[in-house]
Amino acid sequence: MKENILLFLQDQWQEHRGRTAGLLLGALFGISVLLFGFWSTLFVILCAGVGMYIGLRTEREGGWGELFDTSALNRLFRRMS
């Protein structure tokens, strides 16, 4: 029985990856809203998105030092001087 369920889940993931991921994300969002409330859940998702953006930008720039060297704040100070 367990093997059949595992094979079914693997097949669903391989054949319908987008649908399966969407179903899992939707279920997770729904459970979070029920447990914590809509605005708290939205805040956590927003914070995760900002963290993901910063992490992706850090990977593209090659590290934290390069990220800070190219920050908008440094460009602003260069323009002011």
Side-chain angles (χ1 to χ4, degrees), residues 2-69:
K2 288 182 184 179
E3 294 84 17
N4 291 339
I5 293 172
L6 185 59
L7 287 174
F8 174 75
L9 292 175
Q10 287 175 345
D11 181 53
Q12 288 298 311
W13 181 251
Q14 290 174 356
E15 297 297 322
H16 307 288
R17 190 169 295 210
R19 290 182 197 174
T20 306
L23 174 71
L24 292 174
L25 287 174
L28 182 65
F29 180 76
I31 291 170
S32 296
V33 168
L34 289 175
L35 290 175
F36 307 115
F38 177 76
W39 293 110
S40 297
T41 301
L42 198 64
F43 177 72
V44 169
I45 291 172
L46 178 70
C47 289
V50 168
M52 187 173 172
Y53 172 76
I54 291 171
L56 287 172
R57 186 143 179 231
T58 302
E59 285 179 3
R60 288 184 190 147
E61 298 294 329
W64 288 101
E66 287 80 9
L67 178 67
F68 290 127
D69 288 341

